[in-house]
Amino acid sequence: MNNLPWAQQADSRGDVRWRTFAIGLAALLATCLVVVGLAWKREHDRASTQERVALAHGLALHAADLRDAAPGTARILGLAAVKIHSDPQTRAGLIDTLVADRGEELTPDASGEVALSGDGRIALTDSGDGVGDEVSVWDLTTWLDPKIVEKPDRVTALKGNRKGVETMALSFDGRTALTGDGATIVWDLTNLARPIRMATLAGEGNGGGRALALSRDGRTAVIGNSAGDMAVWNLTDRSRPARLSVTRAHASSVRDLGLSADGGVAVTADNDGTVTVWDLADPSRPVKSADLARSAATTAISADGRVVLVGNARRVETWNLDDRSSPARTAVFEVPLGDMHDMVLTADGKTALLAGPSDSGSLWDLSDPSKPTRLAALKGYGREIGSVVLGADGGIVLAAGPGGVSVWDLRNLAEVVADPERAACRGHTNAQLSKADWARYTGGADWSDYAVEGMDVLVVCSMNPDLS
């Protein structure tokens, strides 16, 4: 029995209640402080992340501006951007910068068309105005060797198209060339220094050759002309070509033409944008298989004849021709180039190069036909790109236009895309950014957040990747 007076018992119960209240209040205050602290930390981290993202994107933009004028600085700034915050934008910017560093001018002379052998060793360029009668022949062997500083001029020139050269084609082995306008000339390039004019293929109908294509072995030629006709020739004996057929392919001029490696499938595009697939299993009787599009600017076909690209200024469509009578469209992707001047596929159909106005060449990965993925852009090429061509495996690129022709060595592109940071640091592990340049390009961002204490230079390849 509790013998304490009633008043003392009441005071005791009051003390317990007060202590309980005080403890509860303290716990509530502590919880509030924790919540506020966590909220502050989240907000601080969010603001810090936003600052890093803004800083990284700003550096990436500076890198893009400097690609042509100062490629070394562009590489350092692009790498710093990825180190600070790696996202699709900064990675794509660094990849484009690294790709730009792999291109060099072949000739400043304008060229409207280019052609390339399968191994990327032999190239053809024309005068670019459709009037000049010369096609330059280049041996790119030394151009693709970075150890050779002095690059040779063209080997020789092909002359004979009196009305000017509008189009041309080169066989996979680089030994047979076609140059065309009103008539198409067949050339033997076995000896590059002394090309031999083998024969002339007369223009078909009332229009000269506007588009040319050769099979891989150089024995089948397909010519599209301004009257809409498609002619198939047998060049097994290049000194005595045999015309196998002439087919009315379109109601308007044939502006583009592609041929599979075996010469069994052709794709033509006319001035009205119609793209048509042709079965040339019997080259003496071409059979129209299907129409793919009605508003195309250009088209391309893979060597195996299974993949076709159809493109215009707004989008590109990929088609599968396993069933030529019923082609299947596998994907559509947006390519805001402003215009579509040319496109080309690698032999396996897994890489595409699209070309448009100035600074608008782009490479795409088509390994998954339903999900095309952008690989890189030919940034830094500040001229209009009118014509592009790829080596068989996509390792060598020629890009041509009114401002000249450039050759790109992209044989390690897969490594660059997979790990642009490693590619940027290869051979440049001591690449540095001074404190003054940091302030210049970052707008005064806190140097101490990224540099080693006491250092006046930032070794970009050693930046802490955990910052991103």
Side-chain angles (χ1 to χ4, degrees):
M1 178 179 296
N2 190 345
N3 295 320
L4 291 175
W6 179 86
Q8 291 182 351
Q9 293 181 30
D11 289 343
S12 176
R13 289 194 294 271
D15 289 342
V16 171
R17 287 194 296 270
W18 173 252
R19 284 197 297 273
T20 301
F21 172 77
I23 292 171
L25 181 61
L28 179 61
L29 289 173
T31 301
C32 290
L33 288 174
V34 169
V35 171
V36 171
L38 290 174
W40 178 87
K41 185 178 185 304
R42 283 196 298 270
E43 182 61 25
H44 179 270
D45 289 346
R46 187 181 68 83
S48 178
T49 298
Q50 288 180 335
E51 290 178 2
R52 286 203 308 273
V53 171
L55 175 59
H57 288 177
L59 288 172
L61 289 174
H62 281 300
D65 291 338
L66 293 171
R67 282 187 189 121
D68 196 27
T73 302
R75 185 184 65 253
I76 291 173
L77 296 179
L79 177 60
V82 173
K83 288 285 190 179
I84 292 171
H85 183 77
S86 179
D87 63 15
Q89 182 174 334
T90 57
R91 287 175 61 85
L94 179 56
I95 291 170
D96 290 348
T97 295
L98 296 176
V99 168
D101 198 34
R102 285 159 171 75
E104 60 180 312
E105 185 178 78
L106 180 67
T107 173
D109 297 332
S111 182
E113 292 284 336
V114 285
L116 190 66
S117 60
D119 61 6
R121 187 176 69 87
I122 301 171
L124 304 179
T125 64
D126 70 7
S127 61
D129 55 11
V131 177
D133 64 348
E134 287 190 357
V135 170
S136 297
V137 181
W138 303 82
D139 186 342
L140 300 183
T141 304
T142 53
W143 285 86
L144 300 174
D145 187 345
K147 297 178 182 178
I148 299 177
V149 178
E150 293 296 326
K151 307 298 185 182
D153 199 355
R154 66 183 187 178
V155 177
T156 188
L158 308 179
K159 301 180 180 181
N161 293 91
R162 297 180 181 178
K163 295 182 180 180
V165 177
E166 284 197 5
T167 185
M168 55 194 177
L170 187 63
S171 62
F172 187 88
D173 63 7
R175 296 180 61 186
T176 301
L178 302 180
T179 60
D181 183 22
T184 300
I185 300 176
V186 182
W187 300 88
D188 181 346
L189 301 185
T190 302
N191 183 345
L192 288 183
R194 294 185 177 181
I196 300 173
R197 179 172 176 168
M198 301 298 293
T200 299
L201 311 181
E204 307 298 340
N206 55 16
R210 297 292 304 278
L212 301 175
L214 274 170
S215 60
R216 185 186 181 104
D217 60 11
R219 295 184 178 183
T220 301
V222 179
I223 304 173
N225 69 17
S226 58
D229 297 325
M230 177 182 70
V232 182
W233 289 79
N234 184 332
L235 302 184
T236 301
D237 182 350
R238 290 177 295 179
S239 63
R240 295 181 178 180
R243 188 175 64 192
L244 302 178
S245 62
V246 178
T247 305
R248 175 51 61 93
H250 297 279
S252 63
S253 176
V254 178
R255 63 179 296 176
D256 202 5
L257 189 156
L259 186 66
S260 62
D262 63 1
V265 183
V267 178
T268 58
D270 68 7
N271 277 342
D272 297 327
T274 300
V275 175
T276 302
V277 179
W278 299 89
D279 187 337
L280 303 184
D282 180 355
S284 65
R285 295 182 178 181
V287 176
K288 179 178 177 179
S289 297
D291 285 330
L292 299 184
R294 297 289 184 183
S295 59
T298 184
T299 186
I301 185 171
S302 61
D304 61 11
R306 297 180 59 195
V307 179
V308 171
L309 292 187
V310 175
N312 56 35
R314 297 176 299 279
R315 67 179 192 174
V316 172
E317 301 174 0
T318 63
W319 290 81
N320 181 280
L321 298 188
D322 284 342
D323 182 351
R324 296 174 195 169
S325 63
S326 183
R329 188 170 63 185
T330 54
V332 177
F333 55 102
E334 300 297 321
V335 284
L337 293 176
D339 198 359
M340 179 74 75
H341 292 171
D342 199 10
M343 60 169 56
V344 64
L345 280 166
T346 50
D348 60 10
K350 293 183 178 180
T351 304
L353 175 57
L354 316 177
S358 176
D359 208 18
S360 295
S362 60
L363 285 155
W364 288 77
D365 181 359
L366 305 181
S367 298
D368 182 346
S370 64
K371 295 180 180 179
T373 304
R374 179 188 180 277
L375 289 173
L378 302 185
K379 297 291 186 180
Y381 187 82
R383 299 175 251 182
E384 181 178 351
I385 301 176
S387 177
V388 288
V389 66
L390 288 169
D393 61 359
I396 309 302
V397 174
L398 284 184
V405 182
S406 287
V407 57
W408 304 71
D409 186 351
L410 303 182
R411 286 174 288 188
N412 67 339
L413 179 62
E415 299 173 16
V416 172
V417 172
D419 193 343
E421 293 180 51
R422 182 177 180 181
C425 289
R426 187 181 296 116
H428 305 280
T429 54
N430 292 321
Q432 299 176 349
L433 193 62
S434 69
K435 201 169 186 178
D437 281 342
W438 172 267
R440 175 185 177 187
Y441 292 116
T442 66
D446 194 337
W447 170 262
S448 63
D449 285 345
Y450 303 96
V452 176
E453 185 176 355
M455 294 287 289
D456 289 330
V457 294
L458 179 62
V459 181
V460 183
C461 288
S462 300
M463 288 180 68
N464 182 4
D466 293 336
L467 284 172
S468 60

